[in-house]
Amino acid sequence: MHSALVKHLLGSTDEAAAIVLCARIEKPRVKLLAQKLIPVPHAACTQAPDFIQWPGALIEDALEQAEEGDLSLVLIHSHPGGYFDFSAMDDASDAEVMPAIFAARSREKVGRMLHGSAIMVPGGVIRARLYDRSMAPTPVELTAVYGEDISLFWNPHVEGLKTDTRPLAFTSDMSAELGLLSACFVGASGTGSIAVEQAARLGFGEVILIDFDLTEDKNLNRILNSTQSDAEKCVPKIDVLADAIARHHPKTVVKRIRASINCREAVELAAAADFLFCCVDSEEGRSICDKLASAMVMPLIDVGVTIPVARGLDQKMAIFDVLGRIDYVQPGGSSLADRKVFTPQSLAAEDLAKRAPQQHEDQVKAGYMPGLLEEAPSVISVNMRAASAAVQEFIARTYPYRLDGNNRYARTVFSLAAMDEDFTDEDAFPCHENGLLGMGLAEPLLGLINWANSPKELP
């Protein structure tokens, strides 16, 4: 969508315009999620290098499209000369158009409605502002574009940031920017605790933790900062990580919920984040994270560790590989489902194993369904490698440094048995139409009918 905007708005030396329809997340902070792009035809406009006029009927058509989904409109136009601010003419236009947009909406919706205007300058950088019914403009702090690279366009007046150039990876400027961003981690055990530790020490301003489990003796060999006392007291894993962050990086705000991600309250909490890390060992958990990332227009990094075991010729059990996998999923690109990280069969097998373990075992033996991949429970050295690669994938996307770009690394798989790494580029995966993209918190939540209007629940 951003590429299409750049092509349409910056294809000539004259100003051009478009409308972006956006879903909204309103708590704990406002986020607009681009859902649909409506280019304003050049032939319908009066254009000049510093002026554009276009028919109001196009806004009326966009309002009709937005009404059903209760969407917000953002009117965006180009400043091909590079002026990175709203002009007096822009202010006058908004003063006329925005009240008309609000007046066109049904009265019960106006009180909670937001609409906006934006400018784009050469290079594709965007600056935006929002209006509510008070008609006072509120600057948008951050416009984010999630593709092969993660592009962050900050309002120039954000304190503590150098907004004229992008920070270099591994610098104090990177840390300063991370201090204004939020990362959500689903899973707080083997790879999750290690990824969370890195995120906090890198300087993320907010870390969201989602996990339902309690600390036990068997966890102490792989959960960072966990202690024997935590196991004896059955302290929730998220509390172990939150307490550790408070000790070594108290500036980081930690939000947490002791729940499975398969829970309305957990999804609503995760939706507030800028980035999503999936560190679970369940098919269902990955499936929910996949849907969540699409609906909330979030980049997703999914990490998994497996150690396949089989009988050798001597009938003894033997390890035949030690594998780590990191998938980077960009909104609108191939999903985890497209990449067969989970399948309908694996989801059904996991569900059956929960509901009827003996029946599941019988069907696996009979060959009617595949067995589940079992995550190795005591392999902190492998978990360290995989979790580090997952966090490093985020850094490489946000502060690019790879010599041949990021497209090649939609998936990275390392084998410690072969001492090898394989990479798969985004174009190698199928990409099916995604009806959830940009839907936000619309009902039914994540397209799951059984969650529609259901009460919030915790395990």
Side-chain angles (χ1 to χ4, degrees):
M1 188 180 293
H2 181 259
S3 297
L5 263 176
V6 170
K7 183 177 181 180
H8 178 73
L9 297 181
L10 298 171
S12 75
T13 57
D14 291 334
E15 289 192 5
I19 304 171
V20 183
L21 302 185
C22 302
R24 294 185 310 283
I25 298 174
E26 299 179 34
K27 295 181 180 180
R29 59 175 177 157
V30 174
K31 292 174 67 177
L32 296 191
L33 312 175
Q35 190 179 110
K36 184 177 181 179
L37 172 64
I38 305 174
V40 175
H42 300 308
C45 304
T46 302
Q47 297 170 281
D50 58 354
F51 174 83
I52 184 169
Q53 186 177 47
W54 45 289
L58 296 176
I59 297 179
E60 294 176 8
D61 293 341
L63 279 167
E64 288 186 9
Q65 296 183 51
E67 186 72 27
E68 182 177 352
D70 191 20
L71 304 177
S72 294
L73 273 64
V74 176
L75 313 181
I76 183 169
H77 69 281
S78 57
H79 281 181
Y83 182 60
F84 195 48
D85 203 350
F86 294 94
S87 67
M89 192 176 299
D90 295 335
D91 294 340
S93 176
D94 282 3
E96 179 179 351
V97 173
M98 288 298 161
I101 291 177
F102 278 89
R105 304 306 297 265
S106 57
R107 184 174 298 275
E108 64 271 16
K109 292 182 179 180
V110 167
R112 56 189 175 86
M113 185 60 63
L114 292 169
H115 296 293
S117 64
I119 57 172
M120 176 184 281
V121 298
V125 180
I126 295 172
R127 183 172 179 177
R129 58 188 178 185
L130 298 179
Y131 293 84
D132 60 17
R133 62 178 178 175
S134 72
M135 295 300 135
T138 300
V140 171
E141 184 178 69
L142 171 64
T143 301
V145 180
Y146 302 130
E148 293 173 7
D149 296 337
I150 294 174
S151 300
L152 304 178
F153 307 139
W154 295 94
N155 187 289
H157 300 300
V158 173
E159 294 185 7
L161 285 186
K162 299 176 183 177
T163 57
D164 53 337
T165 59
R166 291 294 299 139
L168 289 177
F170 316 115
T171 65
S172 58
D173 288 341
M174 182 187 86
S175 298
E177 182 172 77
L178 292 180
L180 298 176
L181 297 170
S182 173
C184 177
F185 294 85
V186 181
S189 197
T191 54
S193 71
I194 301 166
V196 168
E197 177 86 359
Q198 294 176 79
R201 292 184 184 272
L202 282 170
F204 269 97
E206 180 179 88
V207 169
I208 297 173
L209 305 176
I210 299 174
D211 195 299
F212 65 88
D213 213 354
L214 303 174
T215 307
E216 302 177 66
D217 282 335
K218 65 181 182 180
N219 304 140
L220 300 182
N221 61 3
R222 63 186 185 275
I223 297 181
L224 295 191
N225 299 299
S226 61
T227 66
Q228 186 66 49
S229 175
D230 294 327
E232 292 171 356
K233 296 176 182 177
C234 296
V235 176
K237 294 176 180 178
I238 56 173
D239 291 349
V240 171
L241 303 189
D243 291 345
I245 292 172
R247 291 192 299 270
H248 69 70
H249 203 273
K251 290 184 179 180
T252 295
V253 175
V254 179
K255 295 181 179 178
R256 50 192 150 161
I257 180 172
R258 190 186 156 217
S260 164
I261 190 59
N262 188 6
C263 159
R264 176 179 292 272
E265 193 171 27
V267 167
E268 291 174 349
L269 180 61
D274 298 301
F275 311 103
L276 182 63
F277 291 81
C278 179
C279 307
V280 301
D281 57 3
S282 71
E283 304 288 272
E284 181 186 46
R286 287 195 170 97
S287 173
I288 297 297
C289 286
D290 202 27
K291 292 177 170 63
L292 173 65
S294 293
M296 310 307 165
V297 193
M298 304 168 75
L300 166 65
I301 294 178
D302 178 60
V303 57
V305 171
T306 55
I307 300 183
V309 177
R311 293 188 183 277
L313 296 176
D314 58 1
Q315 296 302 305
K316 293 181 179 179
M317 299 301 293
I319 291 173
F320 65 89
D321 212 337
V322 180
L323 299 171
R325 174 191 52 78
I326 297 89
D327 274 272
Y328 171 78
V329 178
Q330 55 182 284
S334 60
S335 65
L336 293 180
D338 291 332
R339 301 178 188 191
K340 306 298 183 185
V341 173
F342 57 85
T343 64
Q345 294 78 14
S346 68
L347 287 166
E350 182 177 81
D351 182 63
L352 184 62
K354 291 178 182 177
R355 293 185 293 102
Q358 185 57 54
Q359 182 181 354
H360 169 263
E361 184 177 343
D362 293 343
Q363 291 200 24
V364 170
K365 289 180 179 178
Y368 294 135
M369 65 169 55
L372 298 178
L373 292 175
E374 294 188 7
E375 301 288 332
S378 183
V379 284
I380 190 169
S381 58
V382 185
N383 287 343
M384 285 275 191
R385 169 79 178 267
S388 177
V391 174
Q392 197 57 46
E393 187 65 39
F394 160 78
I395 294 175
R397 300 281 174 172
T398 314
Y399 310 98
Y401 59 81
R402 285 170 168 150
L403 297 180
D404 50 0
N406 282 316
N407 179 264
R408 289 186 57 197
Y409 306 98
R411 169 176 291 168
T412 300
V413 176
F414 64 80
S415 165
L416 296 186
M419 292 304 294
D420 186 32
E421 282 193 340
D422 291 323
F423 310 104
T424 307
D425 62 53
E426 175 66 33
D427 298 333
F429 292 111
C431 183
H432 298 98
E433 184 175 353
N434 190 338
L436 283 176
L437 188 62
M439 294 302 291
L441 297 172
E443 298 292 347
L445 187 61
L446 304 189
L448 300 172
I449 302 300
N450 60 315
W451 282 10
N453 300 316
S454 62
K456 295 177 181 178
E457 57 184 351
L458 295 177

